[in-house]
Amino acid sequence: MALINCPECNQRISNQAFSCPHCGRPNVPPRIAAPVPPVIPQRTARPKRSRLWTLLLFAIVGFIGLAVLALVSSSDQQPEVKQPFRKPQKAPILPATTSTTNETSQVAASTPDPTTRSNKIDVLKGEGIAYEIESTINFLVTFTKTKCLPAAGNEPGSFSFILISSEPVFKVEASKKGWLIGVAGVVGKSYHDHSNLVMDQVFVSDMSLAKEGRAFTIPASTLRSLQERCKSDQITLDQLYSAMLAELKETTARLN
């Protein structure tokens, strides 16, 4: 509410009064504009899809389904391949033999020799143990690469193993000691794990000595005993190395 001057008596009156209280002049109050309602946008209805597009979509899906069924049925039915006709061959007529000795020799030649087969099995076992020894030593001793080769022992059915270092370990005492202790531990444990096999000798050398045809040999049973005593804390590594040096014998046998 606001105060205004009456046009008639010039007195202060309310602008909401219907007449001036002083002079009685009617007062016309100002008109209040009616509020304009907010315009709410009307959503336009989406045009409905035509039935033609719906029918076309069903037709495409049906066509694809028929094509897939046709491919599946064609893959299941394999075409029958006809083999060319071959005339039966007559078995060759072998000449009759009157000697039974020839027949026995032919049967003996076609029968595999059990001794040869057992030898092949022994060779495979020796190669497997050699690979096991070589892998374990190379895992433990990292300053050189060791090659392990199987060989036939002095006793029938026994094995010997040749271990050659790629580095000249025998020229440096520390390298020689570390490598020989690793050889003793790995070979002794392998002999313990494969107790059903007979290990004869173990040859140790390096590339420098091998070029001169030199190597050192030690019984595999000695390495096994030293490894078991060291494992049970009966001897130390230094004592194992000293005992191993005492048993090593130099040989000029060819390592191939």
Side-chain angles (χ1 to χ4, degrees), residues 59-127:
I60 293 174
V61 173
F63 178 75
I64 294 175
L66 292 176
V68 172
L69 290 176
L71 290 175
V72 172
S73 60
S74 62
S75 62
D76 292 340
Q77 296 178 359
Q78 297 181 356
E80 183 180 357
V81 180
K82 294 183 179 181
Q83 298 292 338
F85 176 75
R86 294 182 180 180
K87 294 182 178 180
Q89 298 180 357
K90 295 182 179 180
I93 301 175
L94 298 177
T97 56
T98 55
S99 176
T100 57
T101 305
N102 294 335
E103 294 178 357
T104 306
S105 61
Q106 290 178 2
V107 173
S110 60
T111 305
D113 187 4
T115 306
T116 305
R117 182 179 179 182
S118 61
N119 291 338
K120 290 182 179 180
I121 295 176
D122 292 341
V123 171
L124 292 177
K125 289 182 180 179
E127 291 178 352

Side-chain angles (χ1 to χ4, degrees), residues 121-143:
I121 295 176
D122 292 341
V123 171
L124 292 177
K125 289 182 180 179
E127 291 178 352
I129 297 175
Y131 177 78
E132 176 185 336
I133 295 173
E134 177 180 322
S135 302
T136 308
I137 291 180
N138 288 328
F139 178 77
L140 298 176
V141 183
T142 58
F143 55 84

